[in-house]
Structure formats: structure tokens, C-alpha cells
Amino acid sequence: MREGGLCRSTAMLSVLEHINAFLWGGPVLLFLLFVHLYFTLHTRFIQRKLPHALKLSLRKESGAGDMSRFASLATLLAATLGTGNIVGVSTAIAYGGPGAVFWCWITGVLGMATSYAECYLGIHFRKKQPNGSYLGGPMYVWEDGLHRKGMARLFCYFTLAASFGVGCSTQARAVTEATTSLWDLPLFPVGLLCAGIVGLVLLGGAKSIGNICSLLVPCMGVFYLAACGVLLVINWDFLWDALVLIIKSAFSFRSVTGGILGSSFLLAARYGIARGLFTNEAGLGSAPIAAASSAVSKPETQSLVMMSATFWDTVVMCGITGLVIVSTYLKQPSLFLGRTAGDYTAAAFSTLPFAGDTLLGIAIIAFAIATLIGWSFFGEKAAEYLFGSSGTVTYRLCYIFMIFVGSQLSLRLVWELCDFLNALMAIPNLLSLLLMRKLVKT
């Protein structure tokens, strides 16, 4: 029975790898970059307003909605600041080489414009529900803007699937791996505890999610960046070489280095952009769902605020993680021998002078739980669109159950599944953005 399950898992992994190699090796990758570039030009480089966006995120504003301006941003950050910033960057470098870090950066910088556009349309077409809450996102762009309800429902089904994969399976797996590695805890009680924590938050609804995320996101972000800052100081003499290697390998059609960090342009772009999208979700369609629930008077204002999430997630968090891994490798390459793809960040953290493994484990657990909470919100809104308010209870139960399922899957299978589900969500969302591009104002 075990061998049969292993064979099925291996076969599924093989199929997903071939599909993702096609999607992310050409069509989705190029489509995503085109949309990023288009809206960067269409909004006249909206990225220039990042300082203003950061100030806006801290201001209070009264208005209709389930969440405050900052709470909606924190919910998005909770969903995006997850294992993608730690394990995702690690696997991107393992499979795509150091150049993958550069393409993560590019995805983050250009992705801010796409994030602005999708949030603008999500708020523009949002609808007030009988209970006073708001629903918005690509499904309403398709239904009310493009009058294609079938596409709206299709996007919601993809969002449900992604919430169980991107938002749930990867995070549950990250928690169980961390707790097993650090404290040798069995999987069942850890999965049960995760389900219980997320379940308690879900019972409180959108406001509870926003409040928890507003508290958790700043704390875990500062904690992780402080640890990375110490590592960058330790690796100070290798930072410049790490930057040069990242940039060179991003454009090389042959491997510019040997060992575990050897790769080429195509692999670097494929894994860097795919992991960049996974972490910041710009163009995925999740950000406008959170933006639509905010207390906001103008679409332009909240769209700027939500745009800053892409900056924090990819340009800052992923960029620093990538620098830590590459600089540590250049300094102590022997630390990476025999390591799995998702374990490169752990190799770098092992050089900390104080409990590096424990600090990284705690960071992974905190990030993962935050993502579990944030992504449950996106899936719940998709379920509410498809099945009405009565469908949210069933969704919550399924989501909690998937925490257990996800904790049992292999790391490679989980990430390949995420890349596939990301593509399913991104394609209809990016298409709707281009079709409704003239409505986006700055």
C-alpha cells in the first residue's frame, strides 16, 4: 500500500514538473512579465509613489469595510510573508541558481504596478453584502466589468484550490518539518494544534483575521530581518561578490559557477519569477480580495497601500534571504553539501553565534501560521461568492482538514503543486486586467 502511494506521488510529481516546465518556461512567465511592464508604463511608473504608499499604510481612515487600511495590508502580508520568503527562496536558488534572486527582485519591483492595478479594479467593482461586509476581486471584474460570470466562477474555483495548496499545504508542511527538526514532535499533535489556532481565528471572521494579522506581521517581520541582519554583518566581506554573482548568473546562458549554485538564465528566470509570484502574489488575484474588504474612500489610496506589500515581501524579505544564502555559500560552501533544496536557509542560519536553527524554526512556524490565517480569508471569499454565506462553514472545515493533508506531502510535490495552482489563478486574473486596463487610474 505504501509503495502504491509512493508511485502515485512520484507519477503526480513527474506530471506537474512537465506541466510547470511548459507553463513557467514560456507562456505564464512571459505573460506575467508583459503585464508587469505594461502597467508600469500605463501608471507612469507608479513605483515612484512607494514612499507615499508607505506613509498611507500607517494612517487611519474611516469608511465602509470589514478592515482598516492597515489591517487589509497586514492580511495580505500575512498571506504573502510565509515559507516562500524562506523555503521558497531556498528552492529557487537550488533549482535556478543565484540568478533566481535577481528575477525575484524584478518580479517584486515591476509587480508593484500590477498589484496596484488589480487592487484598483477589485475595489472599483466590489459589492456590499446583506451583512454589511464587502466582496471584491477578479471574480467581480469578470462578472460586472466583463459580463462573463462563467469566468468569474472559474477564477473562484481556482482560488479555492490555491487556498488548499498555496495557502495551506506548503505552510502546514513547513510547520511540521520545523517542529520535527527542532523538537522531534510527532506530526499529528502539531497538525492538530495548527488547525486549532487557525480555526479559532476563522471563527472571528474578517475583523478577527485583520486584528491578528496586524499584530503578528510586524513582530515576525522585525524578528526575521534582525536575524538576517546579523548574518549579513558576519558575511560582510562576501556581500559584494554575492551581488555580482547574482547579477551575472541572471543573464548567463551557461552556468557561471559550479556546485549547488550552478545554473543558467532560463532556469534562473523560471524559478525566480515563479517563486517571486508565489511570495508577493502580484498578478495572482489574491491582493484585490483583501483590498476590497478595507475601509477606504478612494480606490487609488488603498491600491497604493496594497502595492507596498509587494515591496516588503519580495524586494526586501526575499532579497535579503537570497543575499544571506549566496554570501554564506561563498564564505562556507561546505555547509551546503548534502543539503536538500529547501534547507539552504537553514545552512546559512547555522552560522549564527546563537541558536540559529531554533531562531529559523520559530520564524518559519510564525510565518507559516500567519499565511494559513491570511490565505483562509481569500479562499473563504471565493467560497462565499460561489455558494453564498452558507458555504463558508464547509470551506473552513475543509481548510482545517487540508492542514493535516498538507503536512504529509513531500516538499518537492508541494512546491510543484503551488507553481501549477499559481498559474491557474494568474492567467484569468491577468487577462481581466488587460481587458479592463483603461479603467485603472492613478
Side-chain angles (χ1 to χ4, degrees):
M1 189 74 177
R2 184 179 179 85
E3 291 181 359
L6 181 61
C7 289
R8 286 192 294 271
S9 178
T10 303
M12 182 184 296
L13 175 60
S14 178
V15 170
L16 285 173
E17 285 178 336
H18 281 88
I19 294 174
N20 288 332
F22 168 73
L23 291 175
W24 290 105
V28 177
L29 185 150
L30 293 175
F31 192 19
L32 181 66
L33 281 180
F34 172 77
V35 174
H36 283 353
L37 287 169
Y38 176 84
F39 281 106
T40 294
L41 297 175
H42 178 76
T43 59
R44 300 189 298 278
F45 291 89
I46 194 69
Q47 294 91 334
R48 73 188 188 281
K49 294 187 178 181
L50 178 62
H52 181 55
L54 296 175
K55 291 179 181 178
L56 284 174
S57 65
L58 300 177
R59 293 180 187 172
K60 292 184 178 180
E61 179 177 328
S62 59
D66 299 323
M67 301 181 185
S68 68
R69 179 185 291 166
F70 180 75
S72 61
L73 172 63
T75 300
L76 177 59
L77 280 171
T80 58
L81 291 178
T83 55
N85 302 95
I86 301 175
V87 183
V89 174
S90 177
T91 57
I93 293 173
Y95 303 136
V101 179
F102 175 85
W103 291 108
C104 266
W105 281 334
I106 293 299
T107 304
V109 173
L110 298 179
M112 284 190 278
T114 301
S115 181
Y116 175 90
E118 62 182 347
C119 289
Y120 185 100
L121 292 175
I123 297 171
H124 181 81
F125 288 105
R126 71 177 181 176
K127 284 185 176 180
K128 191 172 184 178
Q129 303 303 300
N131 61 3
S133 65
Y134 276 91
L135 275 178
M139 51 279 211
Y140 286 101
V141 178
W142 276 109
E143 179 181 346
D144 297 331
L146 296 165
H147 309 292
R148 295 289 187 273
K149 193 165 184 177
M151 285 296 294
R153 294 181 65 84
L154 185 63
F155 173 82
C156 285
Y157 282 119
F158 289 159
T159 302
L160 284 177
S163 73
F164 295 136
V166 179
C168 188
S169 296
T170 54
Q171 315 312 319
R173 180 62 174 165
V175 171
T176 54
E177 282 204 348
T179 54
T180 300
S181 175
L182 289 174
W183 305 296
D184 197 27
L185 295 177
L187 299 182
F188 182 82
V190 174
L192 185 64
L193 181 60
C194 284
I197 292 173
V198 175
L200 288 174
V201 176
L202 291 182
L203 290 175
K207 290 186 181 297
S208 174
I209 292 173
N211 291 336
I212 294 295
C213 293
S214 295
L215 177 64
L216 187 58
V217 167
C219 292
M220 69 182 189
V222 171
F223 173 80
Y224 180 72
L225 287 176
C228 287
V230 174
L231 286 169
L232 291 178
V233 171
I234 292 174
N235 298 337
W236 181 258
D237 293 339
F238 294 86
L239 289 185
W240 178 252
D241 290 338
L243 280 170
V244 171
L245 179 59
I246 286 170
I247 294 172
K248 278 186 176 181
S249 58
F251 296 98
S252 174
F253 284 89
R254 293 191 308 168
S255 175
V256 298
T257 183
I260 59 175
L261 293 186
S263 188
S264 63
F265 163 75
L266 292 177
L267 284 176
R270 180 258 192 265
Y271 282 102
I273 293 173
R275 293 295 179 265
L277 176 61
F278 174 81
T279 58
N280 64 46
E281 300 179 14
L284 197 64
S286 56
I289 297 175
S293 296
S294 64
V296 64
S297 58
K298 295 181 180 179
E300 298 93 328
T301 302
Q302 188 63 26
S303 299
L304 281 174
V305 172
M306 303 303 280
M307 179 187 79
S308 67
T310 304
F311 168 77
W312 286 118
D313 179 271
T314 310
V315 179
V316 176
M317 300 291 283
C318 288
I320 289 177
T321 300
L323 272 176
V324 165
I325 293 174
V326 177
S327 62
T328 302
Y329 174 77
L330 292 177
K331 185 178 181 179
Q332 301 184 61
S334 61
L335 288 175
F336 293 77
L337 295 177
R339 295 271 185 171
T340 62
D343 209 23
Y344 289 1
T345 312
F349 267 70
S350 69
T351 64
L352 279 172
F354 45 87
D357 292 338
T358 301
L359 289 176
L360 180 62
I362 293 173
I364 289 175
I365 293 169
F367 277 118
I369 291 176
T371 304
L372 283 167
I373 294 170
W375 255 96
S376 68
F377 177 79
F378 302 146
E380 185 171 316
K381 291 299 181 182
E384 189 173 347
Y385 177 88
L386 291 169
F387 312 113
S389 57
S390 61
T392 59
V393 175
T394 303
Y395 167 77
R396 291 170 185 172
L397 293 174
C398 292
Y399 191 83
I400 292 171
F401 173 73
M402 281 302 298
I403 293 176
F404 291 95
V405 176
S407 66
Q408 307 300 313
L409 299 176
S410 73
L411 180 66
R412 188 67 185 267
L413 178 60
V414 165
W415 284 107
E416 290 295 337
L417 180 63
C418 286
D419 285 349
F420 176 66
L421 293 174
N422 277 343
L424 290 184
M425 275 188 73
I427 292 171
N429 179 57
L430 295 173
L431 183 59
S432 70
L433 290 179
L434 289 179
L435 293 173
M436 300 301 292
R437 63 191 180 278
K438 293 182 180 179
L439 284 181
V440 178
K441 310 293 182 185
T442 58

